[in-house]
């Protein structure tokens, strides 16, 4: 029997990691696998004054890979905690616009549940800042485990 795939959206902040407690509390390791998924902005472009375009691209790709490895390293303690609780886990890192990258990942992979922490912003703050949670609630055809801690807005 295959496990249900849970996409845990992590932005690298301590706040986003709060969802992991509820994944462990509400989901069963025997029937769920957790993918820690982090989307970051593209790394700043390197602008060497005398480098050829090929060198520039290689430097950019190297910088991107270094940043991805750093993010994976930072998520490994959470991965080990989930594995100690019995979950099968993996980590994926992408770069770009979070909404676009999440949508693309959902299209490319079999995901059964999305799990994330939200600030729960409303009104003008949501319009100005945007909301990944709001987008997913409106557009994802999947169940979503959404946690909004008290005191955050």
């Amino acid at each position: 029997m295959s496990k249900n795939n849970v996409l845990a959206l992590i932005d690298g902040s301590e706040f986003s990691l709060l969802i992991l407690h509820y994944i462990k509390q509400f989901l069963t390791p025997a029937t769920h696998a957790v993918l820690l998924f982090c989307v970051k902005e593209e790394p700043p472009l390197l602008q060497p004054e005398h480098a050829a375009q090929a060198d520039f691209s290689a430097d950019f790709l190297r910088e991107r890979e270094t940043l991805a490895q750093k993010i994976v390293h930072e998520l490994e303690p959470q991965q080990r905690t989930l594995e100690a609780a019995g979950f099968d886990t993996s980590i994926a890192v992408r770069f770009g616009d979070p909404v676009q990258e999440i949508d693309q990942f959902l299209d490319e992979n079999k995901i059964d549940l999305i799990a994330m922490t939200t600030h729960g912003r409303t009104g003008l703050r949501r319009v100005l800042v945007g909301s990944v949670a709001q987008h997913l609630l409106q557009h994802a055809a999947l169940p979503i485990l959404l946690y909004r801690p008290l005191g955050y807005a």
Side-chain angles (χ1 to χ4, degrees), residues 7-146:
L7 186 66
L9 301 178
I10 307 298
D11 66 10
S13 70
E14 290 295 318
F15 177 81
S16 68
L17 296 173
L18 296 173
I19 192 62
L20 301 180
H21 168 77
Y22 294 96
I23 288 172
K24 291 186 293 186
Q25 185 174 356
F26 294 125
L27 303 178
T28 308
T31 57
H32 294 87
V34 180
L35 172 67
L36 301 173
F37 186 71
C38 184
V39 179
K40 291 287 192 176
E41 290 183 13
E42 289 286 354
L45 293 178
L46 300 175
Q47 299 182 4
E49 294 180 18
H50 304 290
Q53 186 65 29
D55 293 337
F56 177 77
S57 296
D59 288 341
F60 177 75
L61 293 174
R62 221 176 356 265
E63 180 183 352
R64 187 186 226 205
E65 181 58 30
T66 299
L67 181 56
Q69 290 174 359
K70 179 182 177 203
I71 294 166
V72 167
H73 179 71
E74 290 170 355
L75 290 174
E76 285 173 343
Q78 287 74 31
Q79 182 181 29
R80 285 191 296 273
T81 299
L82 288 166
E83 289 174 349
F87 289 95
D88 292 338
T89 66
S90 57
I91 298 173
V93 176
R94 292 227 179 151
F95 295 96
D97 175 70
V99 169
Q100 291 176 354
E101 293 300 325
I102 292 165
D103 283 347
Q104 183 177 351
F105 192 86
L106 291 171
D107 288 343
E108 296 170 353
N109 296 277
K110 183 189 175 302
I111 301 297
D112 302 295
L113 174 70
I114 300 168
M116 67 182 294
T117 308
T118 181
H119 287 279
R121 293 183 179 107
T122 59
L124 184 59
R125 287 179 72 185
R126 190 182 82 228
V127 171
L128 294 175
V129 178
S131 173
V132 172
Q134 185 66 34
H135 171 80
L136 291 172
L137 287 169
Q138 291 177 342
H139 300 286
L142 294 169
I144 301 174
L145 174 60
L146 195 58

